[in-house]
Amino acid sequence: MWSEAMRAERQGDVAAYERLLKELADLLRRMIKHRLAQHGLGAGDTEDLVQEVLIGLHTKRHAWDASRPFLPWMYAIVRYKFVDAVRRLKRESRYRIDITIDEWSELLEAPAEDADRRMLEIDRHLSDLPQGQQDVVHALAIEGASVRATARKLGTSEGAVRVTFHRALQRLMARAELGQAVTLRGKI
Amino acid sequence: MMRSIETKNLIQDLARQAGSQHYLNAISLDWLLLVAIGFSLAIAAAMVFVLIGVRPDFGIMVQRAPFHYKIALTLSMVCAGFFFAQRAGQPDRTKLPLIAPLPALLLLALGASTDTSGLPITGNSGISVPACVGAILVVSLPVLAVILGVLRSRAPTRLVVAGAAAGLLSGAVGATAYTLACKNDGALFVAVWYSAAILLMIGLGAAIGRRALAW
C-alpha cells in the first residue's frame, strides 16, 4: 500500500504522497518516542526527529528500488537517522542544563523589576541588526522555531541560519556588553 | 503542539515536490555504477599514460600470459567491488555477496602458488614495489572520489562498509589501469603488491566513509 504511494509519488501524485508522509509521521512519532525512552532520552526531541527522518526519506526516495518491498528499506533509513540523532543528542546533552522550577524562579526573580526596560533594550538592539540577521534572531529566539523550520521559512540552508545567528549574537553581545544575549546561545 | 503543526507544514512542503527528481536519480544504481566505472577507468588510464607512459613493448606485452593474468585478476576484483558497492548503496540489502570476491581470491592463490617465472617477489628493480603500489594508489584516488559520489547519491546506511566497498572498487579500477604500464611480470609480485595497494585503498575508503558518505 505504501509502495503504491511511493510509486504514485514518482508520477507526481501530490495527494497520495502527502497521505503517505502523514501516515509515516504518525508511525514515526510513536516509534521514536518509544525508542528515545529506551535510550534514556526525553520525549522532547521526538518531533524534531520525526521531521529529520521524514526529510531523510524524502530526499532519498529515488534510492528505493520500486521492485523491492518498501518497509525494509524504510526501516533501514529510520534506523540510520535515529542512531545518528541519538549519538548527537547524547553529545549535546552534556551541554544542556536541567534546572528545577525553584531554581528557575530564583534566577528570574531578581531582574523582574526592570524586565520592561530590558525588553525595550533588546528590541532596540535587534532593530540595529541587518534585516537578514533580524529575521533569523526573531524566528529562533523570539518565536522559538527550530533551526530547520527557520531555514525552510527563509529559503536558505540550516548552516546559513546557524552562521547568521551566531553573527547576530556576536553583534548583540558587542553592543549589550555581554549579558542577556548569552542565554540564547545554548539553543544552537 | 507547535512542533506538530510545523511537521504538518513540512509534510505539505515535501508533498508538493512529488514527482520532481534530478534526472541522474532516475538511473538505477547498477547502471550508474557501471557508467562510473567506465568513466573513472578512462581517467585512471589517462593518468597512467601521462604520469608513467605505457610499457615500451606494449604490443608484444598484450599478447603474453603475464598481462592476461594481471587483467583477469584486476577485472575480477572490479567485479567483486561492483557487487559490494551495489549492495552497500541500498540500505535494505544487508547481506554482502560473499561469493563475489571468490574468483579474485582463487586467481590470487593460483597465481601466487604456480608462479614458476623465477622473477623476484620484489620486482625487477629496487623501486619496483613502492613505484607499483604508489602508482596504483595515485590513479585510484580520483576513482574513489567518483565512486563515493555515486554512493552518496543513493542511501548508504553502513558508512564504513560502503566506504570500504568503494575503496575496493576504486583500487581495482586503478590497478586495472596500471597494468598498461606495469613492468613486472612475475605472478607472485602481481598477486602480492597489487593486493597490497588495493587493501590500502579499502582501508582508506573505510576510514573516510563515515564522513564522506554521511547524509
Side-chain angles (χ1 to χ4, degrees):
Chain A
M1 190 174 61
W2 281 348
S3 333
E4 290 296 315
M6 282 293 281
R7 276 186 214 108
E9 181 278 325
R10 289 185 185 179
Q11 310 303 319
D13 187 339
V14 172
Y17 189 44
E18 187 170 344
R19 214 175 312 123
L20 167 72
L21 288 174
K22 266 187 194 142
E23 287 171 14
L24 284 176
D26 289 340
L27 170 78
L28 289 171
R29 204 168 286 127
R30 266 178 281 136
M31 203 161 85
I32 288 172
K33 203 174 278 176
H34 181 69
R35 299 277 298 270
L36 278 177
Q38 283 180 336
H39 282 266
L41 293 160
D45 294 301
T46 308
E47 209 56 34
D48 261 356
L49 270 182
V50 170
Q51 293 177 14
E52 213 161 294
V53 174
L54 284 177
I55 291 174
L57 288 167
H58 173 77
T59 47
K60 293 296 181 185
R61 63 197 189 280
H62 63 275
W64 173 63
D65 180 346
S67 64
R68 295 176 59 81
F70 173 64
L71 280 181
W73 182 86
M74 182 203 85
Y75 278 121
I77 296 217
V78 173
R79 201 174 309 123
Y80 172 74
K81 279 288 170 191
F82 183 79
V83 168
D84 201 43
V86 165
R87 203 180 295 139
R88 198 190 58 229
L89 286 175
K90 287 198 169 156
R91 199 171 51 224
E92 281 175 1
S93 69
R94 284 192 280 136
Y95 301 105
R96 288 191 191 175
I97 315 160
D98 287 322
I99 302 180
T100 64
I101 295 177
D102 284 345
E103 286 169 318
W104 263 121
S105 57
E106 241 170 71
L107 280 171
L108 294 174
E109 227 162 292
E113 67 267 32
D114 54 10
D116 281 349
R117 196 176 60 81
R118 279 248 171 118
M119 280 312 286
L120 280 177
E121 227 167 72
I122 291 179
D123 261 359
R124 190 165 53 75
H125 285 309
L126 271 184
S127 59
D128 285 346
L129 294 173
Q131 190 57 46
Q133 295 186 1
Q134 269 187 46
D135 292 343
V136 169
V137 172
H138 203 267
L140 285 178
I142 295 172
E143 286 170 18
S146 72
V147 175
R148 189 178 315 110
T150 309
R152 235 167 8 89
K153 201 176 103 188
L154 302 176
T156 69
S157 70
E158 287 175 43
V161 169
R162 288 201 172 89
V163 170
T164 313
F165 187 62
H166 277 283
R167 285 203 186 126
L169 275 191
Q170 270 166 6
R171 260 181 116 122
L172 282 175
M173 279 165 56
R175 306 235 170 145
E177 295 155 344
L178 292 159
Q180 56 265 68
V182 178
T183 53
L184 295 175
R185 234 196 189 163
K187 202 177 162 74
I188 289 194
Chain B
M1 269 309 92
M2 205 179 118
R3 311 314 307 274
S4 56
I5 294 169
E6 213 179 275
T7 308
K8 230 175 244 170
N9 293 338
L10 174 72
I11 288 176
Q12 281 172 1
D13 284 0
L14 298 182
R16 237 172 273 134
Q17 294 172 33
S20 66
Q21 276 290 336
H22 193 269
Y23 66 95
L24 271 181
N25 287 339
I27 303 172
S28 77
L29 177 59
D30 292 8
W31 277 111
L32 199 60
L33 269 178
L34 285 175
V35 171
I37 289 171
F39 172 69
S40 56
L41 183 59
I43 296 179
M47 281 178 75
V48 167
F49 196 74
V50 172
L51 296 176
I52 316 170
V54 296
R55 246 169 81 151
D57 60 342
F58 186 78
I60 305 160
M61 172 190 88
V62 291
Q63 299 168 19
R64 294 183 54 241
F67 179 73
H68 298 158
Y69 175 66
K70 287 178 201 166
I71 281 288
L73 179 66
T74 53
L75 284 182
S76 67
M77 286 179 170
V78 170
C79 288
F82 169 80
F83 285 112
F84 277 122
Q86 182 231 18
R87 295 297 162 93
Q90 294 170 283
D92 53 334
R93 298 211 153 176
T94 48
K95 285 206 198 84
L96 288 174
L98 293 177
I99 330 168
L102 216 59
L105 292 175
L106 282 177
L107 276 172
L108 271 181
L110 200 71
S113 60
T114 62
D115 183 14
T116 51
S117 64
L119 294 167
I121 189 173
T122 51
N124 302 331
S125 73
I127 59 151
S128 289
V129 171
C132 161
V133 175
I136 292 178
L137 291 183
V138 168
V139 299
S140 297
L141 287 179
V143 185
L144 182 61
V146 172
I147 302 299
L148 286 176
V150 168
L151 287 182
R152 268 186 76 90
S153 79
R154 300 301 141 138
T157 52
R158 286 151 302 152
L159 305 185
V160 177
V161 174
L168 168 62
L169 180 52
S170 55
V173 170
T176 307
Y178 178 67
T179 58
L180 301 176
C182 180
K183 292 189 184 71
N184 289 285
D185 288 342
L188 196 57
F189 176 92
V190 172
V192 171
W193 299 113
Y194 279 39
S195 312
I198 291 170
L199 280 175
L200 284 173
M201 286 306 292
I202 294 175
L204 177 67
I208 63 173
R210 175 159 289 160
R211 276 179 177 263
L213 293 172
W215 52 277

